Amino acid sequence: MFPRRLYATAASRLVTSAKPVDGFVGAIGNTPLVRINNLSKETGCEILGKAEFMNPGGSVKDRAALFVVEDAERKGLVKPGGTIVEGTAGNTGIGLAHVCRAKGYKCVIYMPDTQSQEKIDLLKMLGADVRPVPAVAFDNPMNYNHQAKRYAESLDNAAWTNQFDNTANRQAHIETTGPEIWAQTEGKVDGFTCATGTGGTFAGTTRFLKNVSGGRVKAFVADPPGSVIHSYVKSKGKELVRGGSSITEGIGQGRITANMQPDVGLIDDALKIPDADTIRMLYRLLDEEGIYLGASSALNVVAAYEMAKVLGPGKTIVTVLCDGAYRYQSRLFSRKWLESKGLVDAIPAHLQKYIVLA
């Protein structure tokens, strides 16, 4: 077990020696690594979650947002007063909106019209020009990513940050997330798992941990229904099978992105996580741990739990707690919505007290 933080209780508060950081941008990263107590006890492993919901913009995507904007600045693609354009399912857009406000850029977000209203409202509150469009496959020219690219190209002093295939996204996790995990576990991490959307978090973190450990750290990619990654890994690159759909937002993929491609060979296994397991874990974490997480984070914790059972007792498994449930609460805690997805019965009776919305 890793030592508890000294300021974890009111009786032992401590003024830390950390110095002030430089605005919003300086506060990104260096998030805590949180032990998931009950799952750790059940498995005999240390199951740890990187608390990315504690980033200043509320999600893991703050890291990628900063790196892709700074990449555009270094390349001279955007100058002061310019416009950042992105196609995003939500959290990258929120991170970009924050970074753009901090750096003085305008921000335009194209997103699928399937995303939660909470995300859309927050983007607007942050000053972003939000453009929801019909959700269509990537090979359709009206896909939100292609529309974002075309719009950026129509403007002067504008950059399409291209989160899916801009490897500055992956680099964010090679330079920050991976090293943080290694330092926080004192090099004792045995396994890393999370789902992929752009592939940046999984690929970048995996690349760093594999390199620094000499290949010792195992990497399992987690996948929701409707995504092709599980089939691609299991078939050794021969199949891209998409089936079903998922309640999760911002994860799952229909292709192998440029962020993911360099590190596909580092993947040790893939885990397919049903929505029923995800929603059950989401409610369980709220009840047992007091941690209020979104569905993609809950899926990642299920994957860590499954990985712990595969690797066996005594191992340290790390996953990513991407964001909090407050961005999805009108759905995840709504009985009507859960019934529409056939998920009410997946939630144990003693946890259904948390279904507080109609």
Side-chain angles (χ1 to χ4, degrees), residues 54-329:
M54 294 180 71
N55 275 304
S59 89
V60 65
K61 293 297 188 175
D62 288 1
R63 298 178 189 258
L66 176 60
F67 269 65
V68 295
V69 169
E70 291 189 340
D71 178 68
E73 290 173 334
R74 282 192 299 272
K75 292 175 178 176
L77 301 176
V78 65
K79 298 175 179 62
T83 303
I84 296 293
V85 185
E86 183 55 88
T88 168
N91 279 335
T92 301
I94 292 167
L96 283 170
H98 277 289
V99 171
C100 286
R101 290 268 54 77
K103 287 177 170 282
Y105 299 122
K106 294 181 283 293
C107 182
V108 179
I109 301 296
Y110 283 79
M111 67 191 307
D113 59 8
T114 55
Q115 300 305 296
S116 67
Q117 191 61 44
E118 288 93 339
K119 283 184 180 177
I120 295 170
D121 291 343
L122 178 55
L123 282 165
K124 290 179 177 178
M125 291 173 196
L126 291 169
D129 177 355
V130 184
R131 303 185 179 194
V133 298
V136 295
F138 184 78
D139 57 7
N140 187 314
M142 298 308 290
N143 176 275
Y144 65 99
N145 290 291
H146 303 320
Q147 293 199 51
K149 180 176 185 288
R150 289 195 297 271
Y151 182 70
E153 290 172 346
S154 75
L155 302 176
D156 293 327
N157 191 18
W160 172 50
T161 44
N162 189 16
Q163 61 163 329
F164 288 90
D165 295 306
N166 180 348
T167 55
N169 175 349
R170 170 178 173 267
Q171 193 64 31
H173 302 283
I174 293 175
E175 293 187 21
T176 69
T177 315
E180 288 171 29
I181 290 170
W182 187 255
Q184 288 168 315
T185 61
E186 299 177 337
K188 297 183 176 70
V189 56
D190 299 294
F192 173 71
T193 184
C194 72
T196 74
T198 65
T201 304
F202 177 82
T205 305
T206 292
R207 169 61 67 177
F208 178 85
L209 293 176
K210 286 282 188 179
N211 285 351
V212 75
S213 70
R216 176 182 60 80
V217 175
K218 299 294 184 184
F220 289 10
V221 65
D223 214 27
S227 176
V228 305
I229 304 300
H230 179 266
S231 66
Y232 185 85
V233 172
K234 290 293 192 181
S235 68
K236 301 187 184 303
K238 297 176 183 177
E239 297 179 351
L240 288 169
V241 178
R242 181 197 291 271
S245 61
S246 176
I247 64 168
T248 58
E249 297 184 23
I251 58 172
Q253 187 52 263
R255 64 189 179 97
I256 304 302
T257 64
N259 279 295
M260 191 76 167
Q261 187 61 56
D263 302 310
V264 167
L266 300 180
I267 301 172
D268 295 292
D269 204 354
L271 301 168
K272 193 79 163 182
I273 310 298
D275 280 351
D277 291 355
T278 294
I279 199 71
R280 188 179 305 112
M281 184 62 74
L282 186 151
Y283 275 73
R284 185 178 173 187
L285 290 167
L286 175 58
D287 185 68
E288 297 177 4
E289 308 287 341
I291 304 177
Y292 186 60
L293 298 175
S296 58
S297 301
L299 182 147
N300 285 347
V301 176
V302 174
Y305 182 59
E306 296 300 323
M307 188 178 198
K309 290 189 284 187
V310 171
L311 297 188
K315 303 297 184 181
T316 295
I317 314 297
V318 176
T319 193
V320 178
L321 309 182
C322 314
D323 65 4
Y326 64 92
R327 290 180 178 170
Y328 319 91
Q329 61 191 17

